[in-house]
Amino acid sequence: MDQPAPTGHIRLTSHPNQGTSGAPAIHWGAPDALERGPIVGTTANRSQRNVIGTHSGSYGVYRALAVAAGNLTRGHRADLTNTFATDLVGPYPQWAGAGDASKIVSLDPWGASVQSVYADYLAQGYDIRPTIAITKAHIHLPEIKQAIAFQRLAIDGTVLLEDASATVTKIAVEPVWWLPGVAARFKVSEAELRRALFEETGGMYPELVTRSDIEVFLPPIGGQTLYVFGDVRDLANPEVTLTARIHDECNGSDVFGSDICTCRPYLTHAIEECIQGAQQGGVGLIAYSRKEGRALGEVTKFLVYNARKRQQGGDSADKYFLRTECVAGVQDMRFQELMPDVLHWLGVQKIHRLVSMSNDKCDAITGRGIEVGERIKIPDALVPADARVEIEAKIAAGYFTDGSVPTEADLALVKGRGLE
């Protein structure tokens, strides 16, 4: 980052005064915050910028609208007084490292502590924004009340309170991509990655192809929210039983209760498992990623719903993935290669109980050096009738297995659709 731009480098007239002369250098994977350097995505003082893009991902567009409408002062600088994290995370050994072996390439490990680790920079006038925020909260879910009523869960006054709410630590994470490391994860060259990002966003970020000296990108995508049941520090202790689910967003089911998939039932079942684990002296983790419709988007998802239901013979497991691919060109764009980064940020070394039967997720986790023990399958009783097609399709495709011999119930589902 502190190297001069190559000879013949193009400086864009649409980005006046942008350069690295006044910007802190970024040494990704350095063992401490000051050596690594702060992430500066400010639009107010362009000479301080050392990244491509701006903070807040897609919400940057709303910020632009607020400025254009006169509701937000251009260049507003956040007052970070008393915004510091409620819990300390790290630093952990996984935070350091560079090159292809780097454990973390898609978020800023120091993003939750900029108020302290970069206090001197802030005092000098650098506009540095946290990319991670940590707070305390309670969550209320009807499924948890039901679990209490059926005596699957018991109120303990610490994890589960008298009003049936659960105490949690909530962590919001914005994406921060170190492009050389992201490219290495996907086994492509950095130039190929930059070109694809530039072209597929309609040229939204010209610096991707004109500023090879800037290696960090703040992509306009959704981030993650983590819900921790129990002590956050226990996540890094392999001796403490960790129950975890990595859940990708499904607005229709998660929020509105659509019964065409198992997303909300699996999510709430995982929360129940996390609460129970925390009550038994362990710790629970829900990592919720904004990847709506397998990262294809909700419009594409609804188009696929229509195509599945209108096809000759009706919705069927054998056409489940095919109809998605016909519309979107690919079955799934969630690509779990970057997902384990947040686990490394938390210091996780072992997930004792993974509430997910996705081979893609499990393989991504173990492939990045994190041990996985037991895998918890969604109980058959929680699968909505309209979601049976999804389950059958995943069983037939080998996506939804733990490598064990299929149960009679699994075989019955497959046989019922003629997929044996």
Side-chain angles (χ1 to χ4, degrees), residues 329-344:
V330 65
Q331 293 180 5
D332 195 329
M333 290 198 306
R334 286 175 293 178
F335 303 121
Q336 303 296 340
E337 283 85 349
L338 302 178
M339 174 268 290
D341 287 21
V342 76
L343 301 176
H344 285 305

Side-chain angles (χ1 to χ4, degrees), residues 241-299:
T241 299
L242 168 57
T243 301
R245 174 164 177 77
I246 312 301
H247 189 93
D248 294 325
E249 178 182 33
C250 177
N251 181 64
S253 181
D254 296 343
V255 179
F256 293 101
S258 168
D259 63 355
I260 200 170
C261 64
T262 60
C263 295
R264 182 180 175 94
Y266 219 157
L267 176 60
T268 56
H269 174 62
I271 291 172
E272 181 178 333
E273 292 284 344
C274 286
I275 291 172
Q276 194 169 70
Q279 289 180 324
Q280 294 172 353
V283 60
L285 170 67
I286 301 292
Y288 191 93
S289 299
R290 297 320 190 284
K291 297 179 182 178
E292 178 64 57
R294 299 194 204 125
L296 302 172
E298 200 163 36
V299 169

Side-chain angles (χ1 to χ4, degrees), residues 339-351:
M339 174 268 290
D341 287 21
V342 76
L343 301 176
H344 285 305
W345 177 68
L346 294 166
V348 172
Q349 300 175 53
K350 179 177 181 178
I351 298 176

Side-chain angles (χ1 to χ4, degrees), residues 14 32 62 87 94 105 122 148 157 170 176 190 228 295 343 355 371 390 398 400-401 415:
S14 59
D32 65 74
Y62 289 107
D87 295 77
Q94 295 96 314
V105 300
L122 290 167
I148 294 171
K170 291 171 57 175
V176 178
E190 184 183 346
V228 181
L343 301 176
V355 191
E371 183 181 350
E390 174 197 29
F400 198 75
T401 70
K415 187 175 182 180

